[in-house]
Amino acid sequence: MSTKPKVTGWKATIAVAMSNYIEAGSIIALATSLAFWQEYFGFSNLVIGLVAAISANAFGAAIGALLGGWAGDRFGRKFIYTYDLVVYMAGTLLVVFATHPAMLLTGVVLTGIAVGAGVPVAWTYIAEEAPAADRAKHVGSAQLAWSLGPALVFLFATLVVPLGLLGSRIIFAHLFLVALVTWWVRRGLGESDTWKKSNAERLASEASTGIKRRNYRELLLNKGNVKALLFLTGVYALWNLVAGQMGIFMPRVYESAGVESATSQNLLQVLLWTCTVAATYVGFMKYGDRVDRRKLYLLGAILGIAAWVLLVFANITMPMLILFAVLWGVAAGIGAQAFYALWAAEMFATKYRASAQGLLFFVARILVGVLSYWFPTMLAEHGVAFVGVIMISLLVAAMIIGWIGAPNTSGRTLQDIETERYGAAPGDRLDGESDAKTPAGIK
């Protein structure tokens, strides 16, 4: 029997949150290397759109999330952390040594599937293990890691610009090493106590009734769950349509706006993501458990819209681009993704909490993938103003939905929230109709 100490507390939170660093880092590593791969393999803009669409930014992550969410509820949160980074490391090595398009595409897909499986379960695990009074602070650590990934990877990309494609390979190699260390640390993680209790009830119920649970079927038969899914899709998927294009294509947007230097493009992104890191820590982690969450969400949404209005309608100069980077960076730190990760953990029962997040992540990344396929072509043919109006419209819709539907869950235990929303103590009822009431807390 292993004598390795169990990884607990903030160390466990950080180890799990590293899924977000790896996911965001993968997206940015690909974003900063697309031009090099395009030149190396002679890809067209549509092929580049396809590469982006099957990556950790879109379809790859979508598939992984759907599988990982189900597996996380069925076999446990720790099950995902035993295998997801093994798949991820295999994918990054294929990208590092890619000499043929098939190697690049396979590596991109594998990394996408791996991070897609890990990220929703990471949000679930962190929320389940966090103290009720500090849940936003702990969930915010995942957002912090997600912000650090782009900030550091864009900085690395700036330093290795003179190396061309070799520099991009080095960045992916760094992600392999981060994944290896994270996987090693996670070997000491314990299983979520919340999941263990729920799973014991599930096994007892299945043994007595002979009816096997079907997580996605139960999730979607519950009217309150469907309403929560629609709300969170409006909050996250619409916002992520914008953030997804920015994550993978923002250097091209800067180029279309007149910033031709790759170094300048990357430094703007370093500034943007550094602001996100600061806003996540100072704004969301410090105040997400203390202030009115609806107002904090609204502030982030307004700043994000203001950033894109500036980019589309102002006279584009370097000072304006710097202001854009600051506004969006702060908005992302206290905005939709942080609140989505928090609310998605709070608004669903333990028995399908990871499945719900996997489904939501799947929908969001599928939508990003569809838009990613056409985005480079639309940007090249119609310019920043055209795509910018689309981005603004999506952000406005996400702002309105989040403001109207924000649940009142601050400071309450997940068990208390579940009891209120489902009308009974947390359990493993297999009868979908017995849960069919609309949970409290959704307006």
Side-chain angles (χ1 to χ4, degrees), residues 68-81:
W70 170 83
D73 281 333
R74 172 62 63 171
F75 304 113
R77 317 315 190 204
K78 185 174 171 61
F79 173 84
I80 298 299
Y81 299 127

Side-chain angles (χ1 to χ4, degrees), residues 148-435:
L148 279 170
L152 293 179
V153 172
F154 271 117
L155 182 59
F156 296 159
T158 302
L159 297 176
V160 299
V161 162
L163 298 178
L165 184 58
L166 174 60
S168 298
R169 295 181 191 272
I170 292 172
I171 292 173
F172 276 100
H174 129 268
L175 290 170
F176 170 85
L177 293 175
V178 171
L180 178 62
V181 173
T182 302
W183 174 80
W184 183 262
V185 173
R186 284 180 179 177
R187 293 169 71 244
L189 280 173
E191 182 56 84
S192 162
D193 291 333
T194 302
W195 178 84
K196 285 192 292 186
K197 179 182 178 181
S198 176
N199 190 57
E201 293 171 348
R202 174 184 69 84
L203 292 175
S205 180
E206 289 182 352
S208 64
T209 64
I211 302 174
K212 297 293 184 180
R213 165 166 300 146
R214 294 175 176 84
N215 280 36
Y216 286 120
R217 179 177 179 273
E218 288 186 51
L219 176 68
L220 295 174
L221 280 177
N222 183 299
K223 294 179 181 179
N225 286 341
V226 172
K227 193 171 182 179
L229 287 169
L230 292 174
F231 162 67
L232 290 166
T233 297
V235 167
Y236 182 61
L238 296 181
W239 177 87
N240 195 57
L241 273 169
V242 179
Q245 308 315 310
M246 292 180 67
I248 203 79
F249 294 124
M250 202 62 207
R252 291 181 174 232
V253 173
Y254 289 140
E255 183 179 9
S256 297
V259 182
E260 297 182 358
S261 166
T263 298
S264 296
Q265 295 167 11
N266 289 340
L267 287 176
L268 281 168
Q269 290 297 84
V270 171
L271 171 63
L272 186 156
W273 289 106
T274 301
C275 290
T276 303
V277 171
T280 299
Y281 182 75
V282 176
F284 190 79
M285 294 180 70
K286 290 287 187 181
Y287 293 101
D289 294 302
R290 301 179 185 178
V291 303
D292 187 329
R293 289 177 176 175
R294 292 175 74 239
K295 292 180 180 178
L296 189 61
Y297 174 87
L298 182 64
L299 175 61
I302 291 173
L303 290 176
I305 293 167
W308 272 95
V309 168
L310 189 70
L311 188 64
V312 171
F313 297 107
N315 181 32
I316 299 300
T317 61
M318 184 54 71
M320 286 295 102
L321 289 175
I322 290 173
L323 182 56
F324 165 82
V326 171
L327 286 173
W328 180 265
V330 173
I334 59 174
Q337 179 160 287
F339 278 101
Y340 161 79
L342 182 63
W343 290 336
E346 293 176 336
M347 296 178 75
F348 297 98
T350 301
K351 59 185 178 181
Y352 36 59
R353 181 172 290 127
S355 297
Q357 295 204 49
L359 181 60
L360 286 162
F361 206 69
F362 172 82
V363 171
R365 291 309 171 95
I366 287 293
L367 293 174
V368 168
V370 171
L371 185 55
S372 293
Y373 183 70
W374 296 106
F375 190 88
T377 302
M378 289 193 299
L379 182 62
E381 294 181 356
H382 302 289
V384 174
F386 178 83
V387 298
V389 170
I390 297 174
M391 302 295 104
I392 292 169
S393 301
L394 293 169
L395 292 173
V396 169
M399 177 186 69
I400 294 171
I401 293 169
W403 170 257
I404 293 174
N408 181 20
T409 50
S410 181
R412 302 170 60 194
T413 67
L414 292 179
Q415 180 172 330
D416 286 343
I417 296 168
E418 189 170 337
T419 299
E420 178 187 15
R421 289 176 55 75
Y422 292 89
D428 260 33
R429 295 177 305 231
L430 289 172
D431 178 7
E433 292 186 359
S434 66
D435 278 344

